[in-house]
Amino acid sequence: MAFIRYFTAVPRIVLNDPSCSSTDKLVMGVINSLSNNKEYCYASNDYFSKELNVGTKTISNSLSKLKKLGFIYIEYVKKDRHIYMNPKIVMEENSKVSEKNLPVMVEENYQQKRKDYKKKNNNINNTNFKNCEPTISYDSDGVMLWNGKRCESKECTPEEMKEMEELLSEFN
């Protein structure tokens, strides 16, 4: 399934935003595409510039606009820039746009799946997007808490290990 990396998907909420230029929308699509593996995009302005055939100043302006509109947030870890899509807007608002186009029967099923997904992944709703930074704290035994959930490592299941080996075989 290596072909997944070779196309870009722009979230509908960004695509339908009249204040976003075509370049802004393409930048968001590239961020979305490059965020699949690490949940953030680490591409430089030079990378975006070469991929989209525009100047680095244009990229800088697009990133600033997407950040101002709340579609993304940016963190700096040492010298590295991490660009995150704001799941509160991109997932929740994007689904509202999609809901308008669904027939009633399908919408009821969709709403139930959406509720189940939110319940399963409630950490999306616990993130503080006012400052666009996740809440990190520590439990009484010193284990890091990410948005109130313990960050503990677990051993891979045999299925996960097989999937990882398949993904890594592409690079051998």
Side-chain angles (χ1 to χ4, degrees):
M1 295 253 291
F3 67 89
I4 291 175
R5 296 182 206 156
Y6 300 113
F7 63 88
T8 299
V10 179
R12 175 86 46 196
I13 191 74
V14 177
L15 191 63
N16 289 340
D17 190 318
S19 66
C20 289
S21 69
S22 297
T23 303
D24 300 336
K25 295 170 186 182
L26 287 171
V27 167
M28 188 67 178
V30 172
I31 292 169
N32 185 18
S33 176
L34 295 176
S35 296
N36 286 338
N37 293 335
K38 292 193 174 194
E39 296 183 17
Y40 64 87
C41 169
Y42 53 88
S44 67
N45 286 8
D46 285 333
Y47 176 84
F48 283 110
S49 177
K50 288 175 185 164
E51 282 292 302
L52 302 176
N53 198 29
V54 296
T56 54
K57 181 69 175 161
T58 303
I59 297 300
S60 181
N61 291 339
S62 285
L63 290 172
S64 293
K65 185 188 286 183
L66 291 169
K67 183 178 175 184
K68 182 180 176 186
L69 292 170
F71 294 133
I72 63 170
Y73 63 98
I74 300 172
E75 288 182 351
Y76 292 92
V77 179
K78 296 185 182 178
K79 293 182 180 181
D80 296 328
R81 176 178 71 184
H82 296 180
I83 305 170
Y84 295 86
M85 293 194 315
N86 182 340
K88 183 135 182 102
I89 289 177
V90 174
M91 290 175 68
E92 289 182 16
E93 293 301 318
N94 201 39
S95 66
K96 289 178 186 174
V97 171
S98 299
E99 288 170 8
K100 294 176 186 174
N101 301 323
L102 294 174
V104 176
M105 274 179 45
V106 175
E107 186 170 333
E108 289 170 4
N109 186 28
Y110 175 78
Q111 290 296 342
Q112 184 58 46
K113 285 183 181 182
R114 187 167 167 230
K115 284 178 189 173
D116 294 344
Y117 179 83
K118 279 185 175 181
K119 189 175 183 181
K120 182 179 173 189
N121 298 294
N122 67 0
N123 61 331
I124 290 170
N125 297 327
N126 293 335
T127 305
N128 176 8
F129 284 107
K130 196 170 219 176
N131 298 322
C132 293
E133 293 181 12
T135 304
I136 299 172
S137 59
Y138 293 88
D139 210 348
S140 58
D141 60 354
V143 175
M144 183 184 282
L145 299 173
W146 180 271
N147 295 326
K149 294 194 176 204
R150 290 176 62 91
C151 299
E152 297 181 88
S153 61
K154 297 177 185 173
E155 244 182 85
C156 294
T157 64
E159 294 83 18
E160 291 170 327
M161 195 59 130
K162 183 180 176 189
E163 180 182 358
M164 182 60 72
E165 288 171 0
E166 289 173 4
L167 290 170
L168 291 173
S169 70
E170 178 181 328
F171 299 101
N172 289 335

